[in-house]
Amino acid sequence: MSNNNNNSECKCSKCSSNSMGFVLVSTQTLRRHAQQDIVRQYQSGSSSSVIEVMSNDNDMEIDFEDNVDAEDQVEAEDLPLFGIDSLFDSESEDEGVIEATILDISDDESDDVREHFSSSNMPVDPTHAFIASFAAFFISKYVVNSGGAVLLKFLNEVLAHFGQSFRLPLSMSGVNSMTGLSDVTRGVQRFVACGDCNKVYEESDVVPECCNFERLSELHDLVYFNLVECTVIDPMHNLYLGTAKRIMEKWRSSGLITDAHLAEMQLDADKLVLPEDYTPLGTKIGRGFPFMKADEWKSWCLVYSPVLLRDRLPEAHLGNWTTFVNACQYLSMPSIFMAHLDEAHQSLEAFCRECKKLYKAPFLSPNMHLHLHLRETVLNFGPVYGYWLFSFERCNGILKNYATNRKDGFEGTYMKKYLEEAYQGDLIRQTLPIIRPEHSAIILELTASTANSITTSTSTANSITTSTSTATSIQFDINAFLDSPEINFDIVKGNEPLPPSALPLALKGEISMDESEYEHLLEYYRETYDDQTLVHYRQAGHSDNFVNNRIQKFESINLLGQIYKSKTKNQRGSFMQALFETSDGRSTKPYAGQIQYLFVNTAVNSFAGHASQHVFAYVQWYKEVLLQPRAGEGVEVNEVGFEDDSMNSILPVHRICYPVAVGEHLGLEGEVQMCVVPLPRKIYI
């Protein structure tokens, strides 16, 4: 029986206990209560077993987790009253109720995450523990639905073939319980939320027809809470998905940027080499910017547009756009100086004023008005990396890739998968000491992303003690390091302390430096330490004051979040700028170059004092062009070829100033030159 409000009479074991013998609930709640009654019936029949109902596209499994033989497990299709289509139909007739899943962990469970894994039934035998761990991680990452059960049966057949008495459980939940992977999701509970007032109810509770929940938030009771001041403007949507996208649509609709322009820009874009942490656009420019994500609009603004829009967009529009790009470069940094924040605010204000002249008042939107409040947002809440939604969107991308059976209960699936991945590193740390060393590499390869985070965290914590560097063993001074590229670049030697996570966990073995490049290293040391008595390593028998020719190369270095790399096939991350004095000695200017390789050289005697290890980049510098036709656009022009190698090719990594993107530029006479787009270096403090 149903009433006029699409509610039905629920006569489950809980709802039938009142005087009427039923409670009016939504159709969705009715199905849920019926499901719970079925589960309770089988739970009451087995006092020593824990029954878990797991759904997939093809079947349901009832998993007995407490020492129940595989033959005793009950398949879902054999259970009475199990109408899978009706129980797990995703269509809800009550749109006023929204399902939600939250994590409810008791105090003693949250004290120490590692305690989650202490009760696992991991096999004592290292090989069996490896097989169980591999199966759990592999199924968690790659297998969906009934494929996991098939894999487990296959592994058991292999074990039987080789005469092993050990067997894996025949269900995914059983394997997760054995390895401890299911322990991290033990506190997941399902709740329902009212669609009108958002009040949350436990799933077992009866949702009333009318809620008495106050709509006012508790935040309004806080004395210091100001609704206007405490509203954060998200720069990701405000700048990139907002204005950058809107103005490109305006250019396209008004004919300022045509299809022919897009085709030409795509050809030039294919020749651009971006720094490592900027997203390439591929062929999207030529196709009219379809399905652009926020990080792609960011790359377009900061890297592509300064190079590609010249000679295609009218000067007035290009100049105004350059003003917007200048503001975005400052605001998109992990840390920002007050002077740069003020400059960004002034640039955005000038940009909005000019937009009113160029595109008339109807083009201006409330989103553009919010540009003028970004300065207040940064002053109140700090640099944009603390609250812009790139990380939130990235998390959505992770959740979107989780495989579900597209039926009811996907919120619980998301929560469980998220927790499994979040705490997988802890489980791996618990597992590696149990299994054999030769099997550890396979587990780490299978869980590559987690293994990388383990390696990174270990590197960060232990790089000072693991590395042979005496440069990192001295206390790191962040202020001195930040001053090295621009203020103290002329006194930096290369043996100053680096950030603890700068170098890789382990350096490669020593090799002999190329003879011609070693000559530049020898000259560098003589000049830097003002010691002309330093001799060639081949003359070491005649003098103890010689320069070692043995070096250790490494692929990349992390300088407070900004990553630079040795030259590779795709060349990304190898282009940079550093400051040098001009030839007349009156000023300094940035020069663009490409890192050929990064290396460590250790002084074998005392000419460098106690800090004997030096960290360098071997750089080839591009030839400069005196006439800079694009200086006002944030783009520099260089010759394509390199200067001859010299002592300046030996560059302490402390002096690397900016990452750059490089592309092609046609000179006045049609000659091919190289354009350089300097980008702000990231500084994570």
Side-chain angles (χ1 to χ4, degrees), residues 294-350:
D295 57 343
E296 292 172 326
W297 281 115
K298 177 185 174 186
S299 293
W300 162 253
C301 288
L302 303 184
V303 183
Y304 287 93
S305 65
V307 177
L308 304 181
L309 290 178
R310 190 173 192 263
D311 297 330
R312 298 179 177 105
L313 195 66
E315 289 294 330
H317 296 266
L318 178 60
N320 191 42
W321 174 254
T322 302
T323 303
F324 176 78
V325 171
N326 180 63
C328 290
Q329 284 189 333
Y330 286 131
L331 291 172
S332 298
M333 298 172 63
S335 56
I336 187 171
F337 294 101
M338 284 298 302
H340 292 163
L341 180 60
D342 292 337
E343 183 177 346
H345 177 76
Q346 294 168 7
S347 296
L348 287 174
E349 186 174 7

Side-chain angles (χ1 to χ4, degrees), residues 32 75 119 149 157-158 224 242 289 329 345 349 360 371 475 493-494 508 556 574 631 647:
R32 187 167 58 251
E75 294 296 325
S119 61
E157 289 294 329
V158 173
Y224 56 82
F289 301 90
Q329 284 189 333
H345 177 76
E349 186 174 7
K360 308 306 179 184
H371 292 342
Q475 185 176 5
K493 294 180 172 61
K508 297 180 180 179
S556 64
S574 62
M647 177 190 75

Side-chain angles (χ1 to χ4, degrees), residues 364-486:
L364 301 179
S365 63
N367 181 69
M368 296 180 69
H369 168 76
L370 293 178
H371 292 342
L372 306 183
H373 293 281
L374 283 174
R375 181 179 182 275
E376 301 170 45
T377 299
V378 174
L379 290 175
N380 288 337
F381 301 100
V384 299
Y385 270 67
Y387 46 84
W388 68 2
L389 294 182
F390 276 108
S391 57
F392 183 84
E393 295 294 340
R394 189 174 299 111
C395 183
N396 284 343
I398 295 173
L399 294 177
K400 181 183 67 175
N401 291 328
Y402 288 159
T404 68
N405 55 19
R406 299 185 180 276
K407 294 183 178 179
D408 191 33
F410 62 88
E411 300 94 343
T413 302
Y414 283 157
M415 177 62 78
K416 289 180 180 179
K417 291 290 293 183
Y418 186 83
L419 288 173
E420 285 176 2
E421 292 195 1
Y423 292 111
Q424 193 177 72
D426 298 277
L427 183 56
I428 292 174
R429 290 186 180 93
Q430 297 283 358
T431 304
L432 291 182
I434 302 174
I435 64 179
R436 300 183 188 278
E438 59 267 26
H439 295 154
S440 299
I442 300 177
I443 294 295
L444 292 176
E445 183 180 357
L446 178 61
T447 57
S449 59
T450 305
N452 289 337
S453 66
I454 293 175
T455 303
T456 301
S457 62
T458 306
S459 173
T460 302
N462 300 327
S463 60
I464 294 179
T465 57
T466 304
S467 174
T468 58
S469 172
T470 55
T472 56
S473 63
I474 303 173
Q475 185 176 5
F476 173 68
D477 186 344
I478 190 170
N479 292 319
F481 178 79
L482 293 176
D483 290 341
S484 299
E486 299 181 80

